[in-house]
């Protein structure tokens, strides 16, 4: 029985590969790679000659059987295009299957864009949430950001250059204007770590920039309201004549609660006969 080695590879600078990673890649009988063309360049640079098999999102189901069969007789190394495999990567599914089948899973730590960006961000590093990529659709992005808005820990996102400008606008809308460190092309020739606020970042990166982005964003710094305070806030705004959807938006902005949770609380309150707007008025706009 072999082991599945999760081998971290450079995120840009080839000098960041570890001695242990090179040793594992030289001795395993098979390497499963996200993109065999990218991995061949890496192996060629270090004069490593090993059979490759592709493993990526769109072939992972059929490939898993082949890789598990290979593990039955020997070791397999799993690599992504860059960084640690299985982090925001379909390698997670293979890891889970290997564990279920009783194969040892051995991490070989290496470069990671999220941790590198966090370390250099200047934002708190004691607690953080790694989010990865946000959903592509605006409504889904804002819903996800609503769930994250009241966390008081540093948030880490990945984003593609084609979507980063739109994402800054949504981050500003969903989280408010917070401090951010924007890490672009980490460890590469044109590495940049830009620091400022989300509103400044939206202006600075308004044109479609190049490179892969890691965004490190400050957690919520204002106290989060209690549930009773949210109820009272909704009741006061209703008494002032504000429509329910507008009241939910304003209370969410002030309280640190996601708008969806404020909205649901308003519906629950009114369905139970609490004072406030009639239930039929609670339709989101």
């Amino acid at each position: 029985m072999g082991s599945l080695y999760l081998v971290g590879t450079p995120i840009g600078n080839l000098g960041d590969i570890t001695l242990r990673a090179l040793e594992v890649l030289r001795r395993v009988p098979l390497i499963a790679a996200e993109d065999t063309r990218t991995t061949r360049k890496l192996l060629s640079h270090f004069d490593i000659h090993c059979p490759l098999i592709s493993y990526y999102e769109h072939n992972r189901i059929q490939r898993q059987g082949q890789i598990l069969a290979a593990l039955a007789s020997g070791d397999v190394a799993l690599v992504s295009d860059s960084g640690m495999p299985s982090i925001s990567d379909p390698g997670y599914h293979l890891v889970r299957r290997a564990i279920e089948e009783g194969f040892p899973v051995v991490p070989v730590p290496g470069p990671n864009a999220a941790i590198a960006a966090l370390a250099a961000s200047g934002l708190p590093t004691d607690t953080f949430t790694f989010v990865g990529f946000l959903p592509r659709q605006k409504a889904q992005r804002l819903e996800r950001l609503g769930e994250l808005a009241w966390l008081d820990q540093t948030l880490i996102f990945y984003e593609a250059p084609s979507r980063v400008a739109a994402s800054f606008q949504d981050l500003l809308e969903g989280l408010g204007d917070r401090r951010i460190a924007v890490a672009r092309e980490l460890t590469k020739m044109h590495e940049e770590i830009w620091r400022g606020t989300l509103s400044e970042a939206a202006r600075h990166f308004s044109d479609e920039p190049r490179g892969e982005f890691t965004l490190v964003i400050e957690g919520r710094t204002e106290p989060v309201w209690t549930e009773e305070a949210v109820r009272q806030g909704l009741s006061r705004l209703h008494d002032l004549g504000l429509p329910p959807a507008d009241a939910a938006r304003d209370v969410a902005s002030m309280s640190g609660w996601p708008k969806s949770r404020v909205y649901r609380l308003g519906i629950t309150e009114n369905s139970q006969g609490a004072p406030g707007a009639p239930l039929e008025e609670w339709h989101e706009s």
Side-chain angles (χ1 to χ4, degrees):
M1 176 185 293
S3 297
L4 177 64
Y5 288 88
L6 310 179
V7 181
T9 55
I11 59 176
N13 192 318
L14 294 181
D16 289 337
I17 199 163
T18 68
L19 294 174
R20 186 180 175 210
L22 291 174
E23 185 270 326
V24 169
L25 294 175
R26 285 192 173 105
R27 69 171 175 78
V28 293
L30 181 67
I31 297 173
E34 182 179 6
D35 187 327
T36 55
R37 295 165 300 181
T38 300
T39 301
R40 279 197 184 95
K41 293 177 183 177
L42 175 70
L43 299 181
S44 176
H45 181 83
F46 291 104
D47 196 26
I48 297 173
H49 307 280
C50 178
L52 291 174
I53 186 173
S54 65
Y55 177 85
Y56 54 93
E57 181 61 36
H58 299 297
N59 76 348
R60 63 177 177 81
I61 295 176
Q62 55 266 44
R63 278 288 196 252
Q64 282 178 13
Q66 294 174 259
I67 296 171
L68 292 172
L71 282 169
S73 58
D75 296 333
V76 175
L78 176 67
V79 300
S80 66
D81 283 355
S82 63
M84 281 298 295
S86 86
I87 305 299
S88 281
D89 176 87
Y92 154 74
H93 301 282
L94 179 60
V95 169
R96 188 167 66 176
R97 282 290 309 278
I99 293 170
E100 290 170 352
E101 296 294 329
F103 294 109
V105 175
V106 183
V108 182
N112 178 270
I115 298 302
L118 174 65
S121 68
L123 295 172
T125 60
D126 51 343
T127 59
F128 60 91
T129 293
F130 173 68
V131 182
F133 289 95
L134 286 168
R136 290 176 177 268
Q137 299 300 317
K138 181 181 178 70
Q140 295 173 335
R141 284 202 302 271
L142 290 177
E143 181 179 359
R144 180 72 176 112
L145 290 171
E147 297 167 352
L148 298 166
W150 61 348
L151 296 180
D152 61 359
Q153 52 201 256
T154 303
L155 305 173
I156 307 175
F157 302 85
Y158 286 157
E159 193 52 278
S162 60
R163 296 197 304 270
V164 74
S167 287
F168 281 129
Q169 297 295 336
D170 293 336
L171 287 163
L172 189 57
E173 181 178 345
L175 300 178
D177 203 5
R178 305 181 180 189
R179 291 188 296 162
I180 182 174
V182 181
R184 184 178 69 88
E185 295 287 85
L186 283 173
T187 79
K188 300 176 183 177
M189 181 181 297
H190 300 292
E191 175 182 276
E192 176 187 14
I193 302 178
W194 183 95
R195 301 174 183 86
T197 65
L198 272 169
S199 60
E200 292 168 343
R203 293 191 296 270
H204 183 80
F205 295 98
S206 57
D207 294 331
E208 185 174 309
R210 296 180 179 180
E212 298 300 318
F213 282 78
T214 304
L215 313 178
V216 185
I217 301 177
E218 181 178 38
R220 181 175 176 84
T221 56
E222 299 84 1
V224 176
W225 289 12
T226 64
E227 184 173 310
E228 180 59 30
V230 171
R231 288 197 186 96
Q232 292 176 5
L234 286 171
S235 179
R236 283 197 297 270
L237 291 180
H238 173 259
D239 292 343
L240 292 172
L242 215 63
D246 291 344
R249 181 198 62 217
D250 289 354
V251 169
S253 176
M254 294 182 291
S255 67
W257 282 48
K259 181 184 174 183
S260 58
R261 287 178 63 95
V262 176
Y263 187 81
R264 286 195 297 270
L265 182 62
I267 292 176
T268 302
E269 287 284 288
N270 284 277
S271 67
Q272 294 174 351
L279 186 60
E280 59 270 18
E281 291 186 23
W282 282 90
H283 56 86
E284 219 165 344
S285 61

